[in-house]
Amino acid sequence: QVQLAESGGDSVETGGSLTLSCVASGNTLPINCMGWFRQAPGKEREGVAGIHPGGDSTYYADSVKDRFTISQDHAKNTIYLRMNSLKPEDSAQYYCAATTWALCGGWLRRERNVAGNHYWGQGTQVTVSS
């Protein structure tokens, strides 16, 4: 089992920045991808950014490219999501997630063939006011 704990959500104005953190604990060795999803009221959960724990490959949704950056600190078992130039449409509950599935991109896009074990944090709220 893997436990994920997010922090860093807040309320900011349009154009502001936030950094989310997620600490992973438990049996993280089988994890092939970690990332962030978000869900706004009335909308489906969508993948935002992902990273391979064993390397530097990163993946982003088109809506956040060039504004969000995912990174990791192996020593702290932590991933981060730096969010710049925030927009009201970025407002959502953000979830840290991890998977044993090897293909980060497909996992973020929630493709139907994705298998393996998936883990979720409790979520942290990001609100961007106009």
Side-chain angles (χ1 to χ4, degrees):
Q1 285 290 340
V2 174
Q3 294 79 45
L4 303 170
E6 311 99 328
S7 62
D10 205 345
S11 296
V12 297
E13 295 184 345
T14 297
S17 298
L18 279 176
T19 299
L20 306 182
S21 302
C22 172
V23 180
S25 59
N27 183 20
T28 59
L29 281 179
I31 297 301
N32 285 315
C33 187
M34 292 189 68
W36 295 92
F37 289 71
R38 67 185 181 186
Q39 188 168 20
K43 294 189 177 181
E44 291 189 359
R45 190 172 296 189
E46 62 170 343
V48 174
I51 189 166
H52 279 292
D56 295 326
S57 297
T58 56
Y59 307 82
Y60 296 96
D62 289 341
S63 58
V64 305
K65 278 180 183 176
D66 301 323
R67 297 190 299 123
F68 290 11
T69 303
I70 189 170
S71 60
Q72 58 188 344
D73 184 332
H74 292 290
K76 297 181 179 179
N77 264 1
T78 300
I79 65 169
Y80 305 94
L81 185 68
R82 175 66 177 176
M83 305 183 292
N84 295 325
S85 302
L86 282 163
K87 306 174 182 180
E89 51 263 43
D90 294 317
S91 297
Q93 187 83 348
Y94 281 71
Y95 297 91
C96 179
T99 182
T100 57
W101 185 247
L103 303 177
C104 258
W107 174 62
L108 284 174
R109 292 188 296 270
R110 312 196 79 185
E111 293 176 352
R112 292 188 177 184
N113 64 329
V114 170
N117 296 323
H118 313 292
Y119 306 93
W120 297 92
Q122 293 295 316
T124 186
Q125 179 67 35
V126 172
T127 302
V128 184
S129 59
S130 56

